[in-house]
Amino acid sequence: MQPGIDWAAVQAAAAWRLVVPRTPMRGRVGERLGAGTGSSLEFQDHRPYVPGDDLRHVDWKAFARSEVLSIRLYREEIAPRIDLVIDRSRSMVATELKQRAYGELVALLASASTSMSADTRLVTSAAAPPIPLHRPDEVQRFLDCDATSGAMEELGLQLRRQSMRVAVSDFLFPHDPDTIVGRLARDGASLAIIQLTTRDEAEPDVEGGRRLVDVEGRGELDVTIDARTVAEYRARFNRLRQGLSRAARRTGATFVHLMAGATPRQVARVLADAGILEPR
Amino acid sequence: MTFAAPLGLLALLAIPAIVAIHLLRRRFPVRPIAGLFLWQAAHDVPDGGRRIDKLPWTTSLLLECLAALALALIVSGATLAPSASSEHLVVLLDDSVSMTAIDSRGESPRARVVARVRDEINRIGPRGRITLVRSGERPALIAGPAAFGAEAESALAAWMPLARQHSLAAGLRLSRELAGDSGSLLILSDRQSDGTTERIVPGEIWAAAGIPLANIGIVDAHRSVNADTKQGALSLTVRNYSDAPAKRVLRVTVVGRPFKGANGASDTEILVRNVDVPAGTSSISIPLPAATPPVRASLSDDALVSDNAVVMVEPQPQIVAVDDRLKDGRGKAALEKAIGALAGVIPGSPGHLAFLDSSDVASGSSRTNGANLASGFSGTNGPPAPGVWQARFGRPAPLLAGDGTPEDFIGPFVLEKRHPLLQGVTLGGVVWTGVFPLSPGAVHPLASGGDRALIGTLAPTATAADPTFLFNLDLERTNLIRSPDWPILISNLVEMRRRELPGPERWNYRVGEWVRIRFDSQPARPLHLRMGTFERDLPGTRLVEFVAPAPGGLAKILEGDQLRYEIGINPLDESEGDLRRARTESIGKFDDARRERAIESGAAFDPIFWLLLAVCTAAMFCNWWLLSPRRVPARRSHSEGGRA
């Protein structure tokens, strides 16, 4: 049962949009400057006239100065490609709080993507084709997290070249951060990595004896959660987080760690601070 | 604190066992997590046995130890009462109907006995145990053994003495066995002990709570109908148990249904009249029209109500139809003469009983080879139908006969005295003539002379299941038909057949007598006995036997909802009606040493028991709740905070 997403809060936070990278990118004809030559008003270069060129693009002022026919070239305008990579493993819904936070985060990102006339697709696994996203509420159909592994762990995700990529996961699975970040960033225009965990997952407290059962069926363990164990766990979790952060920096990606429990507005502000969102 | 069962303290060994389990195998609450790999480098807890860590004093451990302690104390019978003992009192209650006699103050011995038992229950206290035994030919427990006072109180309230006069000896034996070495025995009756079989021993009390009273009761009743005059009669034998004559009102009413009496009134009341009852025994005869339904004759009330009324059902005679197929001669004439002297016998064909010449039966093999009996007759009147008993006279059929010539016997004769056919038969001075040798095993001999069977029964077969008697006798030459044994023999045969006819053996019974009812076929639906509000199931067989239950009345035998027979059941107990022998006295005293030997008892009704039980239950429930897997995620979700 999906806990209800606070769509009102998500809509209120929809005054944000994804930050488009300054580097040129690819995409369909749209309203963002692309890497190639196009028909925008932004001048890009000159080149000599060749028969067949549109006479309207001849730079007559330059011809007057130099008596050489030259053509004015303008930057193309494109609609950016956005690939939202989401983790649909069971760990994302380990608690109701995390499930709600996960749903609202994905809805916020979907809202920020669709509000900028982008070609947005939802990537959930390597096996399933990416799903075009036209409205934010369409993500609700993909928030049932019952897989035993997430998309981040899979090879061959169908990511588009020069697309803006946003990956959402808790990254609580054994991995090499450089490998996984490099895979997500390859041939992309930009990459934002958002790690979502609960407070107990990031900063557990002393609880005494517990039988820990992995929700993704990776085994169970009897552990006495004392101060020493907690300290060791926190150190291990911090190393995992810092590994992701370092790998993101190496590839020019953005990394942010979120804890479940914040409102969509607070989440949007944190993402804006990290350079993932910007005001419209 | 004392312990009723100190060995129960061995259950305390469960506590170190629980501690050991917690040491060696911890049962942690389940917590679902993501990212187990981050914990796996932590200190794993061994499954058990490898290392003993410091014992974690968890809530679960404490609750389990608390539950084990409470259980151990319950098992050991812990009580806060110092030197608590529980006395076991066995009470033998006289169940005879005279216990219900009402005296001038409106009290009965039963009421006084119940009050006495209640006093005893109060005396032995809430920890005391009591066993109530109801006397009778077959004594029975009505509370216990070793019941608590509350149980005995409820059993006493439902106890109503209804039994006929009987000795308390059987009840005494059962009560003494129940009392054993530690129990005390109290006998409560309305009369004295007979001093022989009912003699009490030291340590027992015989308390009589009766008061001598005058009483008048019906001690015998008979209802008959004259088949010739179609006139019935009800005869009552009334006993006045006093020295003075008395007057009573006799009332005769129809039971169960309206009846149009002789006076034309459609009232159920047939007769009301004042009768003088002299001291001693007297008789009252009341004429009744034939076919009068069951009637209730009652005398006006006195001390003992139960012997003031009887319900009598008009007997339906069991008529035996006899088919006489003997050849004319001395034998046939003697048979007709013997049958003519019997009541309830009519000629009829096919009838219930057929007298045949063996020579008319073409082949005795009809029984042995399974052929239809019908094919074996050459008589002009046709064969007896199924359900017809046969008595064959004369030369046996060839398959039954052996080799040899017929002989005459003058004795000695060997008779099967236990067989009802030969009861009262002596064959003294009888010359048994024309005895043919029979093939071995052809008949089961009932009377023999020398090595030859004189009377025998043929074994039933699948096609001829009805009894057949073979009289290996030449009726024309024997002097049996002139001897006293001949009518006895024929009467026995007819009565045997009469007893096998469908219907009750009798129509009116005393309480406690065996009732036998034979059905013409296997009942298709369940049989019930209904007597007023009393109802019980009966075995669904052709022959139904049961003991006439108290307190009596009009008993209806039902097959499903269909009424099959009505019979009258009445107390008619001459001894119980004599209330002059009732006494109020108490003999004997309890053995104090025996009373101090408390029986082992549990801790029920002891507050400490319920406290321990509550503690144990609460501890187990809390432990279950603590360890419940469903509880862990719920708690965690509340503890999670929010921070982006």
Side-chain angles (χ1 to χ4, degrees):
Chain A
M1 184 70 186
Q2 282 283 335
I5 295 175
D6 187 357
W7 282 103
V10 171
Q11 295 294 340
W16 304 85
R17 65 181 180 186
L18 283 177
V19 173
V20 177
R22 296 177 185 279
T23 56
M25 13 178 239
R26 299 287 179 187
R28 290 181 304 184
V29 174
E31 55 190 32
R32 292 283 166 177
L33 290 175
T37 305
S39 55
S40 70
L41 297 179
E42 186 174 340
F43 172 75
Q44 186 180 29
D45 203 357
H46 282 100
R47 69 166 170 80
Y49 171 81
V50 293
D53 283 342
D54 190 345
L55 291 178
R56 288 177 298 179
H57 290 171
V58 174
D59 190 345
W60 295 108
K61 290 180 180 176
F63 176 72
R65 289 194 300 270
S66 62
E67 295 185 350
V68 175
L69 282 174
S70 59
I71 298 294
R72 289 175 68 94
L73 299 179
Y74 298 89
R75 292 274 296 276
E76 65 175 347
E77 286 187 334
I78 60 164
R81 297 169 178 162
I82 300 175
D83 288 334
L84 276 181
V85 187
I86 61 172
D87 184 351
R88 296 181 68 192
S89 65
R90 289 178 195 157
S91 66
M92 300 308 294
V93 293
T95 66
E96 283 187 15
L97 184 68
K98 188 174 181 182
Q99 186 177 15
R100 178 187 294 273
Y102 172 70
E104 289 178 348
L105 173 61
V106 174
L108 177 67
L109 293 171
S111 176
S113 303
T114 55
S115 67
M116 52 189 289
S117 302
D119 177 12
T120 306
R121 294 190 181 185
L122 203 60
V123 181
T124 58
S125 77
I131 301 110
L133 204 60
H134 306 293
R135 293 193 317 276
D137 57 354
E138 289 176 351
V139 298
Q140 204 160 9
R141 292 186 291 126
F142 306 102
L143 297 180
D144 291 331
C145 300
D146 58 354
T148 54
S149 63
M152 314 301 160
E153 300 176 71
E154 299 177 356
L155 297 173
L157 286 177
Q158 299 177 39
L159 304 175
R160 292 170 291 179
R161 287 174 56 80
Q162 294 297 310
S163 61
M164 297 167 57
R165 294 161 187 175
V166 181
V168 178
S169 175
D170 56 7
F171 292 96
L172 292 179
F173 52 87
H175 63 268
D176 175 20
D178 290 320
T179 303
I180 204 165
V181 173
R183 203 158 57 215
L184 289 170
R186 186 176 302 131
D187 295 333
S190 68
L191 173 62
I193 296 174
I194 303 173
Q195 184 184 22
L196 175 67
T197 65
T198 62
R199 177 178 295 278
D200 276 0
E201 286 168 348
E203 301 164 355
D205 295 322
V206 173
E207 294 184 47
R210 288 289 184 273
R211 167 158 294 180
L212 304 179
V213 178
D214 194 290
V215 294
E216 294 174 2
R218 297 174 199 256
E220 57 184 42
L221 187 67
D222 282 344
V223 172
T224 302
I225 305 178
D226 51 15
R228 181 179 164 197
T229 307
V230 165
E232 290 177 357
Y233 176 89
R234 288 187 179 189
R236 214 169 290 116
F237 181 82
N238 284 333
R239 281 201 295 275
L240 180 144
R241 186 170 54 185
Q242 288 165 5
L244 283 170
S245 179
R246 270 197 300 271
R249 276 201 304 274
R250 285 193 197 106
T251 57
T254 307
F255 172 77
V256 66
H257 175 219
L258 297 176
M259 283 204 195
T263 64
R265 188 181 296 276
Q266 292 170 321
V267 171
R269 190 164 297 282
V270 170
L271 295 180
D273 291 344
I276 297 173
L277 297 184
E278 63 182 2
R280 283 189 190 175
Chain B
M1 178 176 282
T2 57
F3 302 97
L7 283 179
L9 290 175
L10 288 175
L12 289 173
L13 291 175
I15 294 177
I18 291 171
V19 172
I21 290 170
H22 275 252
L23 273 175
L24 300 174
R25 174 69 183 180
R26 296 173 190 162
R27 294 178 301 148
F28 293 143
V30 173
R31 174 180 160 185
I33 60 154
L36 184 67
F37 71 103
L38 290 174
W39 293 97
Q40 276 173 333
H43 300 283
D44 290 358
V45 176
D47 282 347
R50 193 158 52 86
R51 187 183 64 206
I52 297 178
D53 294 332
K54 181 184 175 185
L55 181 66
W57 287 101
T58 60
T59 311
S60 170
L61 171 61
L62 295 176
L63 289 172
E64 288 171 16
C65 289
L66 184 61
L69 175 63
L71 277 176
L73 292 177
I74 289 173
V75 171
S76 61
T79 176
L80 292 175
S83 66
S85 62
S86 61
E87 180 180 345
H88 182 204
L89 177 65
V90 179
V91 180
L92 174 61
L93 300 168
D94 187 344
D95 199 42
S96 58
V97 72
S98 62
M99 294 284 286
T100 60
I102 306 293
D103 60 21
S104 57
R105 293 179 298 176
E107 286 186 354
S108 68
R110 175 194 172 275
R112 290 187 285 271
V113 161
V114 168
R116 172 67 186 271
V117 175
R118 287 188 175 135
D119 290 344
E120 293 292 335
I121 290 173
N122 292 333
R123 182 184 62 77
I124 62 178
R127 292 182 58 84
R129 303 298 184 87
I130 191 163
T131 301
L132 298 182
V133 180
R134 186 182 64 198
S135 71
E137 300 296 339
R138 287 184 294 180
L141 292 184
I142 62 172
F148 290 107
E151 299 172 60
E153 290 258 16
S154 59
L156 267 181
W159 171 59
M160 182 55 65
L162 293 172
R164 291 167 55 82
Q165 195 275 334
H166 59 272
S167 169
L168 269 59
L172 268 176
R173 284 194 295 274
L174 175 63
S175 301
R176 283 172 183 148
E177 288 178 13
L178 291 167
D181 294 333
S182 59
S184 304
L185 178 55
L186 171 65
I187 302 107
L188 295 174
S189 177
D190 62 343
R191 60 178 174 81
Q192 294 174 305
S193 160
D194 65 4
T196 56
T197 59
E198 298 174 344
R199 188 172 57 239
I200 62 173
V201 298
E204 298 174 349
I205 293 178
W206 183 296
I211 294 176
L213 297 170
N215 180 44
I216 291 176
I218 301 173
V219 296
D220 199 4
H222 183 66
R223 186 166 174 184
S224 60
V225 60
N226 189 316
D228 299 329
T229 63
K230 302 296 182 188
Q231 182 63 38
L234 173 64
S235 302
L236 303 177
T237 302
V238 179
R239 181 80 182 269
N240 182 350
Y241 299 96
S242 70
D243 298 329
K247 290 184 181 297
R248 290 287 187 271
V249 177
L250 174 64
R251 192 180 304 271
V252 180
T253 55
V254 172
V255 181
R257 47 186 172 268
F259 172 69
K260 198 171 186 67
N263 57 1
S266 59
D267 198 348
T268 60
E269 198 165 76
I270 295 175
L271 171 75
V272 178
R273 80 177 190 210
N274 295 318
V275 292
D276 295 322
V277 184
T281 304
S282 57
S283 297
I284 301 173
S285 183
I286 303 153
L288 292 174
T292 301
V295 296
R296 181 175 188 273
S298 61
L299 296 171
S300 46
D301 287 348
D302 55 9
L304 191 60
V305 175
S306 61
D307 66 352
N308 288 343
V310 291
V311 172
M312 300 299 291
V313 177
E314 184 179 83
Q316 306 295 318
Q318 300 277 54
I319 305 297
V320 178
V322 174
D323 185 9
D324 182 5
R325 297 189 182 189
L326 293 179
K327 292 174 181 172
D328 292 340
R330 293 176 64 230
K332 184 176 180 72
L335 177 65
E336 289 175 350
K337 185 177 178 184
I339 289 176
L342 297 176
V345 179
I346 58 171
S349 181
H352 302 116
L353 177 61
F355 291 89
L356 312 168
D357 280 319
S358 291
S359 57
D360 276 351
V361 182
S363 170
S365 61
S366 59
R367 284 193 162 269
T368 54
N369 63 10
N372 192 329
L373 189 65
S375 64
F377 284 91
S378 59
T380 55
N381 293 332
V388 179
W389 291 22
Q390 297 176 48
R392 299 181 186 173
F393 291 86
R395 179 174 187 156
L399 280 180
L400 297 177
D403 297 333
T405 56
E407 294 181 4
D408 298 339
F409 288 87
I410 59 172
F413 302 108
V414 180
L415 306 180
E416 181 67 72
K417 289 287 190 183
R418 289 173 301 178
H419 197 279
L421 178 66
L422 298 178
Q423 284 183 355
V425 175
T426 60
L427 300 185
V430 169
V431 179
W432 199 283
T433 58
V435 180
F436 284 88
L438 298 177
S439 57
V443 298
H444 171 69
L446 301 178
S448 304
D451 59 349
R452 298 191 180 184
L454 308 182
I455 306 174
T457 57
L458 299 188
T461 65
T463 55
D466 300 308
T468 298
F469 296 91
L470 178 66
F471 291 83
N472 194 1
L473 171 69
D474 182 359
L475 283 174
E476 299 305 314
R477 295 195 299 118
T478 183
N479 67 348
L480 172 67
I481 57 177
R482 289 201 302 270
S483 75
D485 290 323
W486 175 249
I488 295 173
L489 203 57
I490 299 303
S491 173
N492 286 347
L493 189 55
V494 169
E495 292 307 317
M496 281 175 62
R497 183 66 188 100
R498 194 192 306 278
R499 281 195 293 270
E500 296 298 319
L501 291 177
E505 199 174 50
R506 285 160 37 209
W507 296 85
N508 296 291
Y509 295 83
R510 293 172 186 257
V511 170
E513 283 187 323
W514 278 96
V515 179
R516 290 182 181 81
I517 300 174
R518 187 176 298 277
F519 289 85
D520 48 359
S521 61
Q522 189 78 15
R525 288 177 293 174
L527 296 178
H528 306 282
L529 167 66
R530 184 179 296 165
M531 194 169 65
T533 57
F534 173 86
E535 184 159 352
R536 57 169 281 199
D537 294 335
L538 295 174
T541 54
R542 285 190 64 182
L543 177 61
V544 176
E545 293 181 307
F546 59 91
V547 175
L554 180 64
K556 297 181 178 181
I557 313 298
L558 303 165
E559 182 180 351
D561 296 330
Q562 182 189 358
L563 176 65
R564 294 298 302 266
Y565 301 106
E566 286 180 320
I567 58 174
I569 298 176
N570 300 290
L572 299 179
D573 190 339
E574 193 166 358
S575 301
E576 281 301 297
D578 188 359
L579 303 177
R580 294 173 295 186
R581 61 197 178 105
R583 291 289 181 274
T584 300
E585 63 181 17
S586 181
I587 300 172
K589 66 186 290 287
F590 289 141
D591 183 354
D592 291 338
R594 172 181 291 215
R595 291 167 61 188
E596 287 172 3
R597 282 198 292 270
I599 62 168
E600 289 186 3
S601 62
F605 288 152
D606 189 349
I608 194 72
F609 169 82
W610 297 107
L611 177 64
L612 290 171
L613 191 61
V615 168
C616 177
T617 306
M620 287 195 288
F621 176 78
C622 291
N623 193 39
W624 169 83
W625 184 79
L626 273 177
L627 300 178
S628 172
R630 290 166 296 183
R631 183 183 151 270
V632 177
R635 191 186 65 81
R636 282 170 49 77
S637 64
H638 289 303
S639 68
E640 289 169 337
R643 183 175 70 83

